[in-house]
Amino acid sequence: MQLRNNLFRFNKPDNFQDIPTSKLMKDLVYDFNDPYIPFFTPIGTKLFNNIENVFKQNASTIDCDEVIIPQLMTTELLAQGQEIGELFGRKIMHLSGKMTDYHLITSPEMLFINTLRRNNIDANSLPINYYYISNLFRDMPDPKNILRSKQFRVIGGVSLDRSHQDRLKTENKLLEILHKTFNDCKIPFLAEYGSSGFTCEYFYMNSKETENYVIRSIDPHKKTKALSFAMIYDYTKECPFDVMHINPLTHTKDKTFITSYAISTQRLLYIIMDTFKDHKGFALPANIRPYDVAIITSEHGLETAQKMKTDMSAFGISAYTDNMFGKTHTKRLDNADYIGTGLKVVDRNNIFSTFDRSGTLVAKCSSPDDVINTVRQFIATEKQK
């Protein structure tokens, strides 16, 4: 990314510590072009991809495979999974005209179940674990608060097992993956077991921008300020009919047990930004931050800066070029710290000074190759801590 060649502009507000995190994220991470649809900036997109990659790496440890799910679903198929009452009906984004019998997807479990029923899966194929990363849709008031838009991005999944005991084993693996994902994102969370009908619901307790929930482990009689951002549950209980698989020994159909889970990545993104807000901006972890390096250069050094950025990417180092030549040197450094960049490389007449986020000089180099070696060593050491 080059800052000047960018549709979105961001600047560190002078009083940013007094501004709620969700308002700071506007322009920096997302922009509501339409009041109900968030348009994510290159920085926001980088953050999303990094968060999702943390989950993908953890999911791979239990052979949980990714699938892509459609954005449209028939109302008839949805109705098979859960009665469409007044409350649930309000969540459906109904379409009209020739698309009257379809709606934008709100709950995808029945897609998996219908496929299972059609394909006559045998017991030897179980357990089956899938996850998806997709946009879901809800009808919600005040959509701009903490990215609670009508369209939101979810990491979710469905697991299928041949017995109740196997389902519990899978559930424990899924809980471990969720816990590890949140720990790898380095965020505090409260795991509330048996909350609101879920096997486990995850809450963030540290923000002032929260909602009210009855959290039994805290107070079963009063509502507590918290932000719910993930859950896992036994979907077999939600399904009004038995989902069957073929028993290869008896050639009969036996019941399949289903576990479902979901993480709101937009809320998770808010939690990460809120957790790591400091006096300079957002001191994001290395595996989450949008950029490892900011290359701050003059107009004469732009070509060299672009080449350094390209060469760094070959080593898995994410960098952006600050070509906002009209801004002061201090402001450009402040903006790099604000968005959570790990290192700043400042080019002054082909002398390259590298600073960490605290402002400490890491190295002064006379060639781009030396800069790249310095950055590689710094990031390698950082990841070992």
Side-chain angles (χ1 to χ4, degrees):
M1 182 178 75
Q2 296 187 63
L3 291 190
R4 187 175 64 186
N5 310 94
N6 190 357
L7 179 64
F8 304 94
R9 296 283 184 264
F10 69 89
N11 283 293
K12 177 182 176 182
D14 293 334
N15 61 334
F16 85 97
Q17 288 183 293
D18 300 323
I19 301 173
T21 301
S22 60
K23 292 188 181 298
L24 288 172
M25 291 171 70
K26 190 178 184 303
D27 297 331
L28 175 63
V29 172
Y30 66 92
D31 175 45
F32 281 95
N33 191 309
D34 179 280
Y36 302 115
I37 303 174
F39 193 136
F40 285 88
T41 68
I43 291 172
T45 301
K46 281 267 192 181
L47 288 166
F48 257 130
N49 290 339
N50 290 342
I51 291 169
E52 291 168 1
N53 284 336
V54 170
F55 176 84
K56 288 181 178 183
Q57 290 166 9
N58 288 321
S60 68
T61 63
I62 64 161
D63 292 327
C64 192
D65 297 315
E66 182 176 9
V67 294
I68 296 175
I69 63 173
Q71 297 297 285
L72 290 177
M73 185 174 178
T74 61
T75 306
E76 179 185 3
L77 183 58
L78 172 74
Q80 293 178 26
Q82 183 175 350
E83 181 183 355
I84 303 178
E86 181 184 354
L87 178 62
F88 197 75
R90 289 204 304 266
K91 295 180 179 179
I92 299 175
M93 303 289 289
H94 287 289
L95 305 181
S96 60
K98 294 181 178 180
M99 299 298 290
T100 298
D101 293 331
Y102 291 81
H103 70 272
L104 297 175
I105 196 164
T106 63
S107 183
E109 284 87 359
M110 284 307 301
L111 291 172
F112 293 93
I113 291 170
N114 218 38
T115 303
L116 170 69
R117 294 163 70 196
R118 187 177 65 248
N119 290 345
N120 291 320
I121 299 296
D122 67 70
N124 291 329
S125 300
L126 302 175
I128 294 174
N129 295 308
Y130 287 128
Y131 74 88
Y132 57 87
I133 300 175
S134 187
N135 293 324
L136 301 186
F137 303 85
R138 291 289 188 272
D139 186 10
M140 292 184 175
D142 188 22
K144 288 185 283 188
N145 187 22
I146 319 180
L147 305 186
R148 284 185 295 168
S149 56
K150 284 187 176 180
Q151 175 178 310
F152 61 104
R153 194 159 177 82
V154 167
I155 298 172
V158 169
S159 295
L160 308 169
D161 286 284
R162 69 170 73 184
S163 69
H164 176 65
Q165 290 74 21
D166 288 344
R167 196 204 72 78
L168 291 176
K169 291 177 183 177
T170 295
E171 186 178 83
N172 287 332
K173 290 181 180 179
L174 293 173
L175 286 167
E176 184 179 338
I177 286 175
L178 266 60
H179 286 210
K180 192 167 190 322
T181 296
F182 305 145
N183 284 324
D184 287 349
C185 290
K186 298 179 173 59
I187 60 168
F189 63 89
L190 170 67
E192 177 74 1
Y193 294 92
S195 172
S196 304
F198 301 125
T199 300
C200 185
E201 187 170 10
Y202 294 88
F203 294 98
Y204 175 59
M205 313 297 297
N206 294 13
S207 172
K208 298 177 182 178
E209 302 179 80
T210 53
E211 300 161 346
N212 294 315
Y213 292 91
V214 174
I215 303 177
R216 290 182 302 175
S217 62
I218 297 177
D219 192 327
H221 306 293
K222 294 181 181 180
K223 289 187 175 182
T224 302
K225 298 290 286 183
L227 183 67
S228 173
F229 66 95
M231 67 283 298
I232 182 171
Y233 53 99
D234 178 2
Y235 193 76
T236 310
K237 296 177 182 178
E238 299 286 329
C239 208
F241 53 84
D242 286 342
V243 183
M244 313 302 287
H245 63 266
I246 306 298
N247 187 320
L249 297 177
T250 63
H251 303 289
T252 59
K253 290 188 175 182
D254 294 340
K255 183 176 180 179
T256 302
F257 293 79
I258 310 156
T259 307
S260 184
Y261 58 94
I263 304 169
S264 172
T265 56
Q266 289 177 204
R267 288 191 171 206
L268 188 57
L269 174 55
Y270 163 81
I271 292 167
I272 290 169
M273 301 294 280
D274 193 58
T275 299
F276 292 100
K277 186 164 71 170
D278 67 4
H279 67 287
K280 287 193 169 189
F282 300 99
L284 301 171
N287 61 337
I288 300 295
R289 66 191 177 205
Y291 297 101
D292 298 311
V293 183
I295 304 173
I296 300 171
T297 184
S298 66
E299 199 162 358
H300 301 294
L302 185 58
E303 185 176 342
T304 300
Q306 284 293 95
K307 187 178 185 308
M308 277 198 294
K309 181 166 76 74
T310 301
D311 291 344
M312 287 180 190
S313 68
F315 295 106
I317 299 167
S318 177
Y320 77 86
T321 306
D322 186 338
N323 59 345
M324 302 292 284
F325 308 124
K327 292 187 178 295
T328 65
H329 178 72
T330 299
K331 189 65 174 176
R332 296 165 81 183
L333 291 172
D334 282 349
N335 280 342
D337 291 333
Y338 180 58
I339 69 174
T341 309
L343 291 171
K344 296 155 286 190
V345 175
V346 180
D347 175 11
R348 286 195 177 96
N349 299 320
N350 293 324
I351 299 297
F352 305 94
S353 300
T354 302
F355 301 90
D356 65 15
R357 195 171 182 277
S358 71
T360 302
L361 179 65
V362 175
K364 187 172 286 190
C365 305
S366 57
S367 75
D369 288 342
D370 289 342
V371 173
I372 293 169
N373 288 332
T374 296
V375 170
R376 289 179 65 192
Q377 291 172 14
F378 182 92
I379 292 177
T381 302
E382 184 182 37
K383 289 181 178 179
Q384 291 173 359
K385 291 181 180 179

